[in-house]
Amino acid sequence: MAHGIIGSHHHSILASRVGMVAHVLFLTTAVLMLVWLLHYRGGVNIQSEDPEQIFNVHPFVMSWGFILLIGEAILAYSTIPSHIVEHRTQKMAHMLIHLVGLILGIFGVYAAFKYHDAAVAPDLTSLHSWLGITAIALFGLQWLFGFVTFWLPGAHVDTRTAAVPAHVMAGLAIFMLAVCAAQTGLVEKSAAAASTAEMKLINVTGIFILLYGVTVASAVALRKAFL
């Protein structure tokens, strides 16, 4: 019994440390994305007459506001210690950060459609767009499911307990789908980069997004497997 408690505590600490690595990757990815968009692509402006600056809103919002925020919301239960705050506070942070990510993700999709209108380009013709729209739609449904099941008072405790594994699994799957969508989008931009330096920066950014996704999923797996 004591060995089990010690083992569980050890893996809880390990999950927290993996979560800390994810936070570092969050900051690194955010900076790399900013350098790319500001230094190589001329900035971010949804109201610009330049279609490229309108487009730049899309990767900026989808990386900072959707993928990275979703990851931080997933890590909320590890980032906000249960011995300091109540579980309900953790749950509220998880839900609200996800909601902000969803809103920004929808805005990012809007920016992509606005860019296509300005550039007179067809919509939803690439694998990237299909994966991205699917991720946004599934994430919206996942958030509604979580809100109704875990936040509203109507759901029975047994129902909530039974729904947790499916909610966690679906959340991670959708998160990794969003990471995959980001990779396909970055591949498109890397192939069209104006210079070798820009191409390498895009590729490195993609690697850090992937590492972020893996560390977030690993932190959750460690925390859940050894509770």
Side-chain angles (χ1 to χ4, degrees):
M1 181 68 176
H3 181 269
I5 294 173
I6 294 172
S8 176
H9 179 66
H10 169 74
H11 287 97
S12 177
I13 293 175
L14 181 59
S16 297
R17 290 177 178 174
V18 173
M20 291 175 63
V21 172
H23 297 324
V24 173
L25 291 171
F26 170 98
L27 293 173
T28 306
T29 303
V31 170
L32 288 172
M33 182 60 67
L34 271 182
V35 171
W36 175 46
L37 295 176
L38 297 179
H39 181 71
Y40 288 101
R41 293 191 55 84
V44 177
N45 186 358
I46 194 67
Q47 300 297 335
S48 175
E49 295 182 0
D50 180 2
E52 293 303 318
Q53 287 195 14
I54 295 173
F55 169 80
N56 291 346
V57 175
H58 176 72
F60 174 72
V61 172
M62 298 308 283
S63 60
W64 276 63
F66 191 59
I67 292 175
L68 296 180
L69 273 187
I70 287 178
E72 292 305 303
I74 291 172
L75 292 173
Y77 291 102
S78 300
T79 305
I80 307 173
S82 58
H83 64 275
I84 296 178
V85 299
E86 295 181 352
H87 177 70
R88 186 173 178 82
T89 302
Q90 292 177 314
K91 188 160 62 172
M92 179 179 291
H94 178 77
M95 180 189 69
L96 291 178
I97 297 172
H98 269 322
L99 179 60
V100 173
L102 176 61
I103 292 170
L104 292 175
I106 292 171
F107 181 69
V109 172
Y110 162 75
F113 279 108
K114 183 172 182 179
Y115 161 72
H116 289 158
D117 288 341
V120 193
D123 296 320
L124 301 176
T125 59
S126 66
L127 175 62
H128 168 68
S129 63
W130 294 358
L131 292 177
I133 288 292
T134 302
I136 288 286
L138 290 177
F139 183 76
L141 293 174
Q142 168 80 346
W143 189 89
L144 286 174
F145 171 80
F147 179 74
V148 171
T149 305
F150 301 108
W151 188 257
L152 295 183
H156 193 273
V157 174
D158 291 341
T159 301
R160 293 178 178 179
T161 302
V164 167
H167 182 66
V168 172
M169 182 184 68
L172 286 177
I174 295 167
F175 174 61
M176 295 310 296
L177 176 61
V179 170
C180 289
Q183 300 302 310
T184 56
L186 290 173
V187 165
E188 292 178 8
K189 290 304 173 183
S190 177
S195 66
T196 301
E198 181 184 3
M199 178 190 69
K200 289 180 179 179
L201 177 60
I202 295 171
N203 292 345
V204 170
T205 303
I207 290 172
F208 272 91
I209 289 176
L210 179 61
L211 289 174
Y212 178 68
V214 170
T215 53
V216 168
S218 298
V220 173
L222 284 168
R223 188 174 66 85
K224 286 295 181 182
F226 298 99
L227 285 178

